[in-house]
């Protein structure tokens, strides 16, 4: 194993440990985020169907998380925090475009390449500045909980 691979493994292990700690601390303390516990938030995922054809219009003015599932396995968790620029709708529609900003990054290219297999779940956190901050906290917690493969490989 080369030096770069060893460094990459150490970095990913450190990030994973920090994320697990953040998620475990919030879950263990029963700490509320946006007036809900982590367990309550985890019950808020709503299946919107295949990413390729999902109706995203209802999510135009809200922020939150999205979770991409392929063959029953959570592969990616991301956040949409552009409250005044299309919210969750814009973030998810970027992945469906033939060309666009979402595919400048490895995660966007991977998601676009797997559009036919992705079932998407969304978690609407809200439509306020505070909801943006809550979304950032929730993302770290749920990435730690679900440990999605594409989050680890694509960062």
């Amino acid at each position: 194993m080369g030096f770069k691979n060893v460094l990459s493994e150490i970095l990913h292990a450190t990030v994973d440990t920090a994320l697990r700690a953040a998620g475990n601390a919030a879950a263990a303390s029963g700490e509320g985020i946006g007036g809900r516990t982590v367990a309550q938030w985890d019950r808020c995922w709503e299946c919107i169907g295949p990413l390729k054809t999902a109706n995203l219009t209802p999510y135009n003015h809200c922020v939150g998380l999205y979770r991409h599932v392929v063959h029953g396995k959570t592969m990616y968790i991301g956040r949409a925090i552009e409250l005044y620029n299309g919210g969750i709708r814009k973030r998810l529609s970027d992945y469906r475009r033939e060309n666009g900003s979402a595919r400048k990054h490895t995660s966007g290219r991977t998601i676009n390449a797997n559009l036919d297999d992705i079932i998407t779940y969304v978690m609407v956190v809200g439509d306020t500045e505070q909801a943006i901050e809550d979304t950032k906290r929730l993302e770290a917690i749920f990435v730690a909980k679900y440990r999605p493969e594409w989050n680890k490989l694509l960062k």
Side-chain angles (χ1 to χ4, degrees):
M1 179 180 286
F3 181 72
K4 286 175 103 176
N5 289 340
V6 170
L7 280 178
S8 177
E9 283 189 23
I10 291 169
L11 175 62
H12 282 101
T14 302
V15 169
D16 285 348
T17 300
L19 289 173
R20 274 197 309 277
N24 291 340
S29 70
E31 175 185 342
I33 298 172
R36 297 180 180 170
T37 65
V38 171
Q40 288 170 325
W41 278 114
D42 202 19
R43 290 190 293 272
C44 291
W45 291 107
E46 174 189 352
C47 182
I48 61 171
L51 177 59
K52 189 172 189 174
T53 59
N55 176 15
L56 302 175
T57 304
Y59 308 102
N60 195 37
H61 300 291
C62 52
V63 298
L65 300 179
Y66 55 93
R67 180 166 57 116
H68 294 318
V69 176
V70 176
H71 306 299
K73 183 177 179 185
T74 297
M75 299 301 288
Y76 190 79
I77 292 178
R79 67 183 184 204
I81 57 173
E82 291 187 36
L83 181 58
Y84 303 109
N85 189 25
I88 294 171
R89 178 205 51 83
K90 182 181 182 300
R91 186 72 184 105
L92 292 177
S93 63
D94 284 347
Y95 292 121
R96 302 192 303 199
R97 290 193 177 100
E98 287 304 315
N99 55 29
S101 62
R103 281 187 303 295
K104 290 181 182 174
H105 304 284
T106 306
S107 59
R109 287 190 299 273
T110 301
I111 291 166
N112 183 264
N114 287 277
L115 273 179
D116 290 332
D117 297 320
I118 293 174
I119 302 298
T120 300
Y121 293 77
V122 296
M123 176 189 295
V124 175
V125 178
D127 60 0
T128 64
E129 294 295 325
Q130 183 58 50
I132 293 170
E133 296 308 311
D134 292 344
T135 297
K136 291 174 184 178
R137 291 182 63 201
L138 288 166
E139 179 188 29
I141 290 166
F142 286 111
V143 166
K145 176 180 177 156
Y146 287 97
R147 303 179 54 77
E149 185 177 317
W150 293 348
N151 285 74
K152 291 185 259 178
L153 295 176
L154 304 177
K155 293 291 181 182

